[in-house]
Amino acid sequence: MLGPMSAPQREHWSRGLGFTLAAVGSAVGLGNMWRFSYMTAEHGGAAFVLLYVLMTLLLGLPVMLAELTVGRGAGKSPILALGHYGGRKWRPLGGLFVLTGFAILSYYSVIAGWTLRYTVSGVLGGFPEPSNAEALFGQIASGWDAVAWHLGFMVICTFVVARGVRAGIERASLLLMPVLGLMLLGLAVFAAVLPGSGAGYGYYFTGDLRGALDFDVVTDAAAQAFFSLSLGMGAILTYASYLSRQSDLPLEGARIALSDFGVALLAGLVVFPLIFALGLQHDVGESTLGALFITLPTAFNKLGAAGAIIGVIFMLALSVAALTSAISLLEVVTASLVDVWNWRRAPAAWLCGGAIALVGVPSALNLEVLDAMDSVGGQFLLVLGGALLAVFVGWVMKNPAAEAAGMHPRPALGAWVWLLRIVVPVILAVLAFYPGGLASQSFGKLWKLFTG
Ligand code: PHE
């Protein structure tokens, strides 16, 4: 073991693919499969998809590269990484990231618990009759059952993080990501050959684009881009801190974003054809957080024996995707204890995992709490964090273009810095703080919770 005086060696990914799969694993999660579909349905289809792509390119990619640059350059988790480039006064921004990760994982794990529960009950007894689907969701989504599955999920997640970067995170990603890809492809093919699925594609790819002009839709699309790419709270930053100097950051960023978008698109290609083929579109018209967890099980039930198998594969895919994302959320919090306070990894992981599990209990008992946590943590704080990080890299860091390039110089990086200096922060600030924007939406929800 290490002597008392020697600083412990920082772990690194054992190979480039390890980082890529882990980062894609972080990005691809419930955000792509559950939130993307529910937001698309809520905002009327194609208009939302289009805006989401725009936001990913204009805001997501630049912030992604910012996180990669700070993480790899500093070789530290967020609090120390921001201190490394900006001095002590920037450490609180890293603290905000940790807090955001804490908040998101606390409710994310509750939803992940639902997917585990649906997987297991699908294996044991199939999926509910249409008349029962809503009641069953009610039972699964909140109450002591939900608490138990949430805690179970947190135990699995913490177990992986406690094992470390290579033996835990990298190994889990190498195993789980290909499995996830195969399951999704299989599901999309199945949905495509269902009679009547065509209308689902129509809904997904066409539609009234005027919806894209609503401020509401724009804020949700931007927030969704951040959530889905795991940006604005240091997850990508922390994973990049285990990267070696040779890695090509712009290329890695593009890879992660493209895979993430590909999976969101693919998930839509499973969900919408399935729903339309079975004539269930009216159930998701007024989509809410739980709609997919009611509609899809109904669809699986209607499909008979094949549906039970398809349903189990779908719910398992959701659980796997959720696990690799949850791991990255917990890693941000854990790595901070390890880096800043020199904790050993395993106790740090169990302490953080335990605390987050506790904070998640109210979300498991009450859907409104979960919804408010998602608004505050999963939307507002991510957009705020992204804006502040853009300002940090654009204005505080010295020569970010050279840091981002490393051994792979690229002329376009000069333009990237200007995006970070002006375009990204201005747009994000408007989306966050304009009346009716993300701040007022999320604090409105919190206010309602406390005042009843
Ligand atoms: N990107 C993950 C998803 O789509 C969620 C996430 C957000 C993970 C922020 C890490 C950080 O489900």
Side-chain angles (χ1 to χ4, degrees):
M1 283 315 303
L2 296 160
M5 298 305 290
S6 53
Q9 268 283 326
R10 192 174 185 75
E11 268 197 284
H12 280 94
W13 306 104
S14 70
R15 56 195 131 195
L17 189 64
F19 167 76
T20 309
L21 286 182
V24 171
S26 166
V28 169
L30 295 171
N32 306 59
M33 305 174 65
W34 152 76
R35 210 155 175 281
F36 178 75
S37 314
Y38 121 65
M39 292 256 154
T40 304
E42 181 174 299
H43 294 307
F48 180 77
V49 180
L50 185 75
L51 272 176
Y52 169 74
V53 175
L54 269 176
M55 295 299 179
T56 299
L57 295 176
L58 185 71
L59 309 172
L61 272 180
V63 174
M64 165 84 64
L65 187 53
E67 289 212 15
L68 290 169
T69 304
V70 173
R72 180 187 62 179
K76 299 259 168 23
S77 52
I79 298 178
L80 294 186
L82 288 160
H84 174 86
Y85 284 113
R88 273 189 168 265
K89 60 180 179 302
W90 279 94
R91 281 191 177 190
L93 178 56
L96 179 73
F97 287 175
V98 173
L99 189 80
T100 308
F102 204 104
I104 295 180
L105 184 52
S106 75
Y107 73 87
Y108 196 88
S109 156
V110 173
I111 304 171
W114 304 347
T115 68
L116 279 182
R117 163 76 203 265
Y118 271 111
T119 310
V120 171
S121 66
V123 170
L124 296 180
F127 289 89
E129 295 288 330
S131 55
N132 271 336
E134 195 159 347
L136 181 71
F137 174 72
Q139 252 175 41
I140 287 182
S142 356
W144 294 105
D145 251 35
V147 172
W149 288 91
H150 152 67
L151 294 180
F153 181 83
M154 280 305 299
V155 169
I156 303 174
C157 172
T158 308
F159 177 77
V160 175
V161 172
R163 291 181 55 99
V165 175
R166 277 191 196 183
I169 302 174
E170 181 171 334
R171 199 183 291 165
S173 310
L174 286 170
L175 175 77
L176 295 176
M177 293 314 289
V179 172
L180 174 65
L182 283 179
M183 287 196 286
L184 275 177
L185 274 177
L187 289 168
V189 171
F190 176 84
V193 299
L194 278 181
S197 59
Y201 299 108
Y203 171 80
Y204 194 23
F205 292 117
T206 57
D208 190 356
L209 293 183
R210 267 171 308 180
L213 296 175
D214 282 355
F215 187 59
D216 240 33
V217 185
V218 181
T219 53
D220 278 359
Q224 174 62 17
F226 274 76
F227 186 86
S228 188
L229 290 169
S230 303
L231 296 176
M233 49 73 62
I236 298 295
L237 187 160
T238 305
Y239 275 7
S241 76
Y242 307 116
L243 266 179
S244 75
R245 285 259 140 219
Q246 295 99 10
S247 41
D248 183 351
L249 297 185
L251 185 71
E252 289 290 353
R255 255 190 212 145
I256 300 166
L258 204 71
S259 317
D260 184 63
F261 180 65
V263 173
L265 210 65
L266 194 58
L269 289 179
V270 176
V271 169
F272 294 110
L274 201 60
I275 288 176
F276 277 77
L278 293 161
L280 296 167
Q281 55 271 38
H282 303 297
D283 301 0
V284 283
E286 281 299 297
S287 188
T288 55
L289 204 147
L292 283 180
F293 285 100
I294 298 169
T295 315
L296 286 175
T298 308
F300 301 141
N301 174 281
K302 283 188 161 191
L303 286 168
I309 298 171
I310 291 295
V312 167
I313 297 178
F314 184 88
M315 290 298 170
L316 191 64
L318 274 178
S319 315
V320 167
L323 178 62
T324 52
S325 299
I327 288 171
S328 73
L329 287 160
L330 183 58
E331 175 62 17
V332 171
V333 185
T334 304
S336 300
L337 264 195
V338 172
D339 284 351
V340 182
W341 289 284
N342 291 320
W343 277 56
R344 279 192 303 121
R345 170 172 281 271
W350 287 104
L351 179 77
C352 298
I356 292 170
L358 272 185
V359 172
V361 169
S363 294
L365 291 175
N366 181 343
L367 268 185
E368 275 169 45
V369 176
L370 191 155
D371 191 31
M373 290 298 276
D374 182 42
S375 262
V376 176
Q379 297 199 302
F380 172 64
L381 288 179
L382 289 183
V383 165
L384 180 69
L388 293 171
L389 187 75
V391 168
F392 178 80
V393 172
W395 296 99
V396 177
M397 223 172 139
K398 298 207 179 59
N399 209 352
E403 294 257 355
M407 300 169 169
H408 307 266
R410 286 217 171 72
L413 288 172
W416 166 67
V417 176
W418 282 101
L419 275 178
L420 290 181
R421 287 193 169 163
I422 299 184
V423 180
V424 173
V426 169
I427 297 182
L428 289 181
V430 171
L431 296 178
F433 295 110
Y434 198 74
L438 293 167
S440 69
Q441 283 172 31
S442 55
F443 289 102
K445 280 186 187 168
L446 272 188
W447 181 249
K448 235 180 82 198
L449 262 187
F450 286 114
T451 55

